[in-house]
Amino acid sequence: MEFDFSAILLGLTVLFGVVWGLDRLFLYKKRKARLDAARAEYRDPMPVDWARSLFPVVLVVLLLRSFVAEPFRIPSGSMMPTLDVGDFILVNKFAYGLRLPAFNNKFVDLGEPKRGDVVVFRFPGYLCHDGSALVRSGDMSCSDPHAPVQQQNWIKRVIGLPGDRIEVHGADLLINGEPVKADEVGPYQGNPQRTVDEVMLNMGATVWVEHLHREDGTVVNHTTAQMPAYTTPNSIPNDRVPSKVPAGCYLVMGDNRNDSLDSRWWGCMPEQNLAGKAFLIWMSWKGWGTGGVDFSRIGTVIH
């Protein structure tokens, strides 16, 4: 079961605020007068005392997580070697605009993602055929095109902007007809005692530095992993994903190119699903007996 922590925080903020506010409006004066007349020490009832104490705390946490920065943990290897399983990251929540907590509706526009940004977003669902139409489904097999989509946060790298023409054929990536260059670094180095590393080592993974050119002339140089022996990813275009990125949408891919469930399978990521831009690794935990805390990754800026 997936929990929307922002929705929980919003609900608690409203609950504590309502309990405390209603008490102060309708009950506090009579209760205090009664206790003063009896010369008894004044104390708020326990529910009111809890609401009064917790309301400002929960409100501050809600505001910080919604509009400043939110922590996330990397659960899978789809962004390796850039982001490792067990990395704890911070996400800039105002990079692309301010959004209402839980509802995710943008009410202040502060910019749009750039090619090469690492973004966190709510998974939009798999693209499934329903007659002549394509619909979003929570069922990867598409046996139930109308299965509800779980509220999950995913992380990928922006490859295609609205209006871009994207082609993907195996390891070859073309943006607007231009091949994206990548330089091989060498074999992937990892700890074979970790399952995610063991798979990559057994599949002969190699590390590359990819060069993504932005419209402003800057270049994002970032690492990717390739292991063709593991799986052959979908090409773009395909029967669900067109070459041209639609308006209000972004094509995203994982840096672990042969082990990432991304836009090559489920299409573009709608702008309204954006949660923010990943910018910092503040903690990295490799697991008991397989590295523990990886101090070398703490403080790493995400590119």
Side-chain angles (χ1 to χ4, degrees):
M1 181 178 181
E2 295 293 325
F3 293 95
D4 188 332
F5 194 54
S6 294
I8 294 173
L9 281 174
L10 179 60
L12 289 175
T13 302
V14 172
L15 175 63
F16 294 150
V18 168
V19 170
W20 185 26
L22 290 178
D23 178 77
R24 283 302 184 266
L25 284 174
F26 301 108
L27 302 176
Y28 168 74
K29 290 182 179 180
K30 292 181 180 179
R31 183 172 60 249
K32 189 174 187 307
R34 184 174 64 253
L35 292 174
D36 286 346
R39 300 193 178 190
E41 180 183 359
Y42 177 81
R43 287 185 180 180
D44 282 325
M46 184 178 295
V48 176
D49 186 49
W50 275 85
R52 177 180 56 81
S53 301
L54 293 176
F55 173 74
V57 176
V58 177
L59 177 61
V60 169
V61 173
L62 175 67
L63 293 176
L64 288 176
R65 286 177 57 99
S66 300
F67 305 127
V68 181
E70 184 173 2
F72 288 92
R73 179 183 180 276
I74 303 299
S76 73
S78 70
M79 283 296 292
M80 292 175 69
T82 304
L83 296 174
D84 202 354
V85 176
D87 282 348
F88 291 80
I89 65 171
L90 288 177
V91 173
N92 183 336
K93 297 302 294 288
F94 58 86
Y96 308 128
L98 301 180
R99 298 174 184 269
L100 293 174
F103 300 98
N104 215 42
N105 300 102
K106 183 188 290 188
F107 63 92
V108 177
D109 191 356
L110 298 175
E112 301 295 338
K114 298 178 181 179
R115 187 180 296 116
D117 285 358
V118 177
V119 297
V120 172
F121 56 94
R122 291 187 177 186
F123 177 55
Y126 303 99
L127 281 176
C128 297
H129 288 288
D130 183 26
S132 59
L134 281 174
V135 297
R136 295 284 186 177
S137 171
D139 181 5
M140 183 179 179
S141 70
C142 288
S143 58
D144 181 5
H146 299 285
V149 180
Q150 289 187 336
Q151 295 294 313
Q152 296 177 325
N153 288 310
W154 287 32
I155 185 167
K156 305 292 179 188
R157 187 179 299 275
V158 174
I159 302 296
L161 306 178
D164 281 346
R165 290 180 294 108
I166 305 295
E167 294 181 48
V168 181
H169 305 285
D172 297 326
L173 170 62
L174 289 84
I175 300 177
N176 296 321
E178 295 292 329
V180 174
K181 295 181 180 179
D183 302 315
E184 185 173 1
V185 176
Y188 174 76
Q189 305 292 325
N191 182 353
Q193 294 181 327
R194 298 177 71 218
T195 301
V196 64
D197 285 340
E198 181 185 22
V199 171
M200 296 184 71
L201 292 170
N202 289 341
M203 293 294 109
T206 53
V207 177
W208 298 68
V209 174
E210 186 174 78
H211 313 289
L212 286 175
H213 289 260
R214 289 176 169 170
E215 293 183 329
D216 61 4
T218 60
V219 181
V220 178
N221 302 308
H222 67 98
T223 55
T224 66
Q226 297 181 17
M227 44 180 177
Y230 183 70
T231 186
T232 301
N234 278 359
S235 296
I236 294 178
N238 58 55
D239 66 333
R240 290 180 173 85
V241 185
S243 175
K244 186 175 181 179
V245 182
C249 237
Y250 297 87
L251 190 142
V252 296
M253 293 170 59
D255 288 347
N256 193 350
R257 292 294 164 78
N258 295 88
D259 189 16
S260 173
L261 190 60
D262 50 40
S263 286
R264 292 169 288 181
W265 278 265
W266 46 261
C268 66
M269 182 270 298
E271 189 276 340
Q272 65 190 34
N273 288 50
L274 276 170
K277 178 183 178 182
F279 70 94
L280 183 72
I281 299 172
W282 63 272
M283 179 64 175
S284 185
W285 173 252
K286 295 293 183 66
W288 293 108
T290 54
V293 176
D294 187 346
F295 292 97
S296 67
R297 298 182 65 81
I298 297 177
T300 300
V301 177
I302 299 170
H303 296 291

